[in-house]
Amino acid sequence: MKQHSKTILAAVAALPFLVSLPVFAQGAVAEQWRWLTFLVFGVIIAMTLFVTYIAARRVRSASDFYTAGGGVTGMQNGWAIAGDYLSAASFLGIAGLISIWGYDGFMYSVGWLVAYITVLLVIAEPCRNIGKYTLADILAYRNNPKATRIVGALSVITVSIFYLTAQMVGGGVLVKTLIGIDYVVSVVVVGILMLGYVLFGGMVATTWVQIIKAVLLVTASIVLVILVWAQYGFFGDFLANVIGDAQVQGRVAQILGDAAKNMSGQELGQRFLEPGLLFKAPIDQISLGMALVFGTAGLPHILMRFFTVPTAQEARKSVLWAMGIIGGFYLLTLFLGMGAAMKVGAPGIMAVDAGGNMAAPLLAQALGGGPDSLLGNFMLAFVAAVAFATIVAVVAGLVLAAASAIAHDLYVGVVRGEHATQTEQVRAARIATVFVGAVAIIIGIAAQGQNVAHLVALAFAVASSANFPCILMTLYWKRCNTGGIVAGMLVGTLAAIGLVLVSPNMTYPKAIKAAAQTALDGAIAKQAVIDADLASGDAARADKAKQAQAALDKAVAKAKGDLEKFKDQETSMVGLEKPLFELRNPGLISIPLGFLAVILGSLLYRDKRAEEMWDEFYVRQNTGILAARATQH
Amino acid sequence: MTAANINWEAINADPRFQNLHKKKTRFLLMLMVIAIGYYFLLPIGAAYFTDIFKIKVAGPVNVGLLFALSEFIVAWGVAFYYSVRAKQFDEMAQALIRDAEKIGRQS
């Protein structure tokens, strides 16, 4: 085993270098600096593989594999939770949102921190006291173990696969955008690296990779923010610089369009610090907020982290650490995002990635001296490598959560009726890991070019509508039983997915084609204006016209592409011409539905055992009596 | 200590446990309502009280920015307050853990 793992680790380590050569395309990093990027990537990956190698020797039992033997401290776990949470979506995504939308992007970050209040207050400690390896352990405790394990595992697998797909596609696009490695190759490299961590190092390696990555991420952000402050001043001066910045003012003018005509530069800049540039549908925002605040507590890879600490007190400590790190990080993000808006500018950021995801890496490059400097490219490479490590580590945590649901809940719990030796359990866990890893790679490749941003929202929607009501009710409501859990899991999951399938998140070819046609029709008139400007002989007008021409050409190409792409398609995936349900985030409806299903299911189903077990269950979750025993098993 | 020689029913009925349960439940409920309620004031305020959010307090700093920053303070404050109170709950639970095998049995 040991010799075997060495060979594989060496092969995995060499992979990024071997496969990178023939598959370059254009990326954010200029060709002559690519060696530097690979050097930095190589060093960070080598560090994580070294940790995996050390960890591999410590993984012997199922408990080692799933929960690092319960031997992680509160502080370590706090960093690992922060690492799990500060995925590429929140690190790159929120900095990007702030850089192109200002205040609304910052407002968006708040929900991600408040989410941990729910985890801290009602989930972390009881789950540590009751559970062993998985979410379904908690559900199965006083209910019919087989029925609840099946629905629990299915929901965990659903949430993990949604989240996983978003991460895999995001990772592939990120690497492609930054250094121009082919998408498919990126996805395969992310998948194989992740498999290396999980397969050999289990939860021990996954935890330490998360810790290393979180420390690197926070360090990089602090350095960048200090550089931003050095140039633009601290809080008050910084904001004064933001509103006075020509690029920021230009961006606001661009967003507001005609409404901006009578506004002064300062007014435009100030508008960047006011709400409403991005979010136009408050109900949708509240709905998303609900999914974040209740969904985080139901995310299987976050929940699983609380089984890695020895006691409820350590679980509590880990959430406190995580909240400190995550909150501090989002405060830094405000300066990263607005710093990028000034230093790089929204047009430059959106030219590389329309969603703004490259704001932080581009800011790093600009602060280091720009695209032609050694330091600038080193800093870009460092931030990019950290983002890459982030994706691999988050994917590792998700695969571990899904694999534990398959191996521990479905195989050992349901098929083998809880009877399996340690060796069998670890083998089952490893086989399930390879299976989930392979599925992740295949889905990642299949989903190339798809818009997967809504999949993260969908993962949160299912977690908040199915997992959260079931866990909360079984922990705190005596009458809750098997009927409630099964009904809650099914209704919550189906409601969340069903509502998204008929929501504006899906692609509606008819509407896209209509928009494309309108754009093409309007292009003729716009072309006439541009032609007139070009012929006017006025240099300033001609300059503007040239920019307008480039934008118009792009819009026309896109419209033509859309018409061609949806030539034979009139309806969305589920056969709709337009959305049936106007909210992009279903939480507002699906969370209450999930709770209702748990309550009705429990009341309609008679389950004496669930009530008889209540005293034991409730005393244990509150006091932690016998909790240490659960980890030893 | 094994599950077999613990009388869970008796522990649940023990006045000390009942006291812990009542205090903890009330405390957690209150804190949840405050924290979550305060959070939702942000998107609601940004959408429906935009004019208040735009009021400038000092230089470019407006009410909206200060309110968003206060969300961090409140979240951290709630977490800190919880951690302080939770230590008291730990102590109350400690007595029960110590006597777990004795409660509800003749000794």
Side-chain angles (χ1 to χ4, degrees):
Chain A
M1 175 66 215
K2 223 180 256 175
Q3 199 51 43
H4 192 57
S5 67
K6 256 189 201 166
T7 327
I8 295 189
L9 288 183
V12 168
L15 231 155
F17 301 96
L18 293 178
V19 295
S20 59
L21 300 170
V23 287
F24 281 141
Q26 195 53 47
V29 178
E31 196 140 1
Q32 73 263 34
W33 296 109
R34 224 157 245 162
W35 62 272
L36 186 62
T37 311
F38 283 109
L39 189 68
V40 178
F41 268 62
V43 169
I44 289 182
I45 291 171
M47 261 165 80
T48 59
L49 287 174
F50 179 69
V51 165
T52 308
Y53 173 70
I54 303 278
R57 294 187 280 190
R58 280 176 44 192
V59 177
R60 289 188 195 89
S61 66
S63 155
D64 293 335
F65 190 85
Y66 291 129
T67 62
V72 178
T73 69
M75 184 181 86
Q76 290 165 352
N77 198 39
W79 279 92
I81 292 170
D84 252 323
Y85 207 57
L86 299 174
S87 64
S90 56
F91 166 46
L92 299 172
I94 292 177
L97 282 178
I98 296 174
S99 74
I100 54 184
W101 301 104
Y103 183 86
D104 280 1
F106 183 50
M107 187 173 96
Y108 176 73
S109 74
V110 172
W112 297 78
L113 171 67
V114 175
Y116 275 90
I117 294 281
T118 316
V119 178
L120 175 68
L121 264 44
V122 293
I123 298 294
E125 296 175 45
C127 286
R128 165 61 283 178
N129 281 339
I130 292 293
K132 199 164 70 174
Y133 303 149
T134 63
L135 183 154
D137 282 342
I138 300 155
L139 304 178
Y141 195 96
R142 65 189 182 105
N143 298 307
N144 177 329
K146 286 197 177 173
T148 46
R149 278 193 194 281
I150 290 173
V151 289
L154 287 179
S155 161
V156 165
I157 294 165
T158 309
V159 172
S160 302
I161 293 287
F162 285 153
Y163 215 114
L164 205 56
T165 308
Q167 294 292 327
M168 291 299 270
V169 175
V173 172
L174 173 84
V175 175
K176 188 171 182 229
T177 314
L178 277 168
I179 41 180
I181 297 181
D182 182 65
Y183 174 85
V184 174
V185 177
S186 313
V187 167
V188 172
V189 171
V190 168
I192 290 178
L193 260 181
M194 165 277 292
L195 270 178
Y197 300 153
V198 181
L199 209 49
F200 299 108
M203 186 51 111
V204 185
T206 306
T207 303
W208 279 102
V209 169
Q210 288 290 15
I211 295 172
I212 292 175
K213 170 216 117 176
V215 170
L216 288 174
L217 189 59
V218 170
T219 312
S221 305
I222 291 174
V223 170
L224 289 180
V225 167
I226 290 175
L227 291 173
V228 168
W229 282 340
Q231 189 172 349
Y232 296 103
F234 186 65
F235 196 66
D237 293 338
F238 175 83
L239 292 175
N241 273 316
V242 170
I243 63 167
D245 187 85
Q247 299 225 58
V248 170
Q249 293 169 0
R251 168 66 187 154
V252 176
Q254 186 203 346
I255 299 170
L256 294 178
D258 288 343
K261 281 207 172 107
N262 298 321
M263 289 168 78
S264 73
Q266 286 289 320
E267 281 171 345
L268 285 171
Q270 184 69 36
R271 189 71 185 80
F272 200 61
L273 304 181
E274 293 167 356
L277 289 182
L278 173 61
F279 300 136
K280 311 278 187 223
I283 303 295
D284 225 340
Q285 275 325 106
I286 291 167
S287 192
L288 172 69
M290 283 177 70
L292 286 178
V293 168
F294 300 125
T296 303
L299 288 179
H301 67 297
I302 298 287
L303 212 56
M304 202 171 175
R305 293 235 56 94
F306 296 110
F307 305 132
T308 67
V309 290
T311 61
Q313 286 73 29
E314 292 296 309
R316 181 191 310 151
K317 215 185 278 171
S318 50
V319 190
L320 293 171
W321 270 98
M323 285 186 71
I325 298 162
I326 293 168
F329 184 82
Y330 288 144
L331 286 179
L332 294 181
T333 311
L334 175 67
F335 299 100
L336 289 184
M338 297 208 167
M342 293 187 279
K343 189 82 189 169
V344 186
I349 295 166
M350 292 165 83
V352 180
D353 178 90
N357 285 324
M358 290 303 130
L362 289 174
L363 173 68
Q365 191 184 37
L367 286 170
D372 302 318
S373 66
L374 177 68
L375 186 62
N377 280 289
F378 171 76
M379 284 173 55
L380 171 62
F382 187 76
V383 171
V386 171
F388 177 77
T390 298
I391 288 169
V392 181
V394 172
V395 170
L398 287 162
V399 166
L400 198 51
S404 68
I406 294 174
H408 176 68
D409 294 325
L410 294 183
Y411 178 70
V412 175
V414 178
V415 178
R416 299 286 298 269
E418 321 263 342
H419 297 294
T421 65
Q422 285 296 326
T423 324
E424 284 173 329
Q425 289 191 42
V426 176
R427 195 191 306 136
R430 289 211 161 101
I431 293 172
T433 303
V434 174
F435 172 74
V436 178
V439 168
I441 295 174
I442 293 167
I443 292 182
I445 294 172
Q448 178 173 13
Q450 299 290 312
N451 177 10
V452 291
H454 60 272
L455 282 180
V456 171
L458 193 53
F460 272 94
V462 173
S464 59
S465 316
N467 300 358
F468 179 68
C470 289
I471 299 169
L472 190 76
M473 296 305 254
T474 199
L475 284 177
Y476 293 97
W477 188 39
K478 188 177 179 179
R479 284 292 305 268
C480 182
N481 59 32
T482 311
I485 301 296
V486 173
M489 281 292 182
L490 294 180
V491 170
T493 305
L494 294 177
I497 297 176
L499 288 174
V500 166
L501 281 178
V502 299
S503 76
N505 292 304
M506 307 309 287
T507 305
Y508 294 91
K510 203 172 174 189
I512 292 180
K513 282 195 282 189
Q517 199 55 54
T518 318
L520 286 181
D521 294 345
I524 300 165
K526 280 187 187 158
Q527 190 62 54
V529 176
I530 291 171
D531 287 343
D533 281 349
L534 281 176
S536 70
D538 180 345
R541 269 177 77 185
D543 256 5
K544 267 201 163 163
K546 269 183 203 152
Q547 280 181 21
Q549 181 75 62
L552 184 63
D553 288 345
K554 226 176 162 180
V556 167
K558 188 180 174 296
K560 282 188 178 151
D562 283 345
L563 281 178
E564 179 60 30
K565 195 169 157 193
F566 299 113
K567 202 170 51 186
D568 307 315
Q569 235 177 311
E570 282 298 319
T571 58
S572 73
M573 243 169 72
V574 289
L576 290 173
E577 282 187 358
K578 61 178 195 318
L580 275 182
F581 178 71
E582 283 307 322
L583 290 183
R584 287 181 171 273
N585 302 289
L588 194 64
I589 309 289
S590 60
I591 296 170
L593 276 180
F595 273 103
L596 198 66
V598 177
I599 294 169
L600 288 180
S602 299
L603 293 177
L604 293 174
Y605 184 84
R606 293 241 160 246
D607 189 354
K608 270 201 96 83
R609 185 171 168 267
E611 282 190 49
E612 278 166 6
M613 292 282 286
W614 172 253
D615 287 341
E616 172 181 345
F617 185 81
Y618 193 66
V619 168
R620 280 191 61 172
Q621 71 116 319
N622 273 295
T623 59
I625 295 173
L626 294 183
R629 190 156 288 274
T631 55
Q632 289 162 9
H633 185 61
Chain B
M1 200 189 284
T2 59
N5 43 21
I6 294 176
N7 185 344
W8 300 106
E9 207 176 319
I11 300 178
N12 193 16
D14 191 287
R16 287 173 295 176
F17 184 80
Q18 281 302 315
N19 187 27
L20 169 68
H21 153 74
K22 276 202 195 95
K23 280 199 170 143
K24 200 170 161 184
T25 310
R26 202 179 309 143
F27 176 69
L28 290 183
L29 199 66
M30 178 197 76
L31 223 51
M32 271 300 272
V33 170
I34 292 174
I36 306 293
Y38 194 76
Y39 165 63
F40 281 108
L41 287 181
L42 180 67
I44 292 171
Y48 300 106
F49 301 95
T50 320
D51 289 340
I52 299 178
F53 269 42
K54 287 182 178 178
I55 296 171
K56 285 200 233 174
V57 179
V61 181
N62 57 29
V63 173
L65 267 176
L66 290 180
F67 195 77
L69 290 174
S70 79
E71 291 279 351
F72 287 81
I73 308 294
V74 169
W76 281 331
V78 165
F80 178 74
Y81 183 45
Y82 169 76
S83 74
V84 172
R85 280 296 297 271
K87 289 214 176 79
Q88 296 172 14
F89 298 139
D90 285 348
E91 278 165 26
M92 294 166 83
Q94 207 54 49
L96 291 159
I97 297 171
R98 210 173 38 235
D99 297 346
E101 282 174 285
K102 291 188 209 138
I103 297 171
R105 284 176 207 285
Q106 312 289 342
S107 54

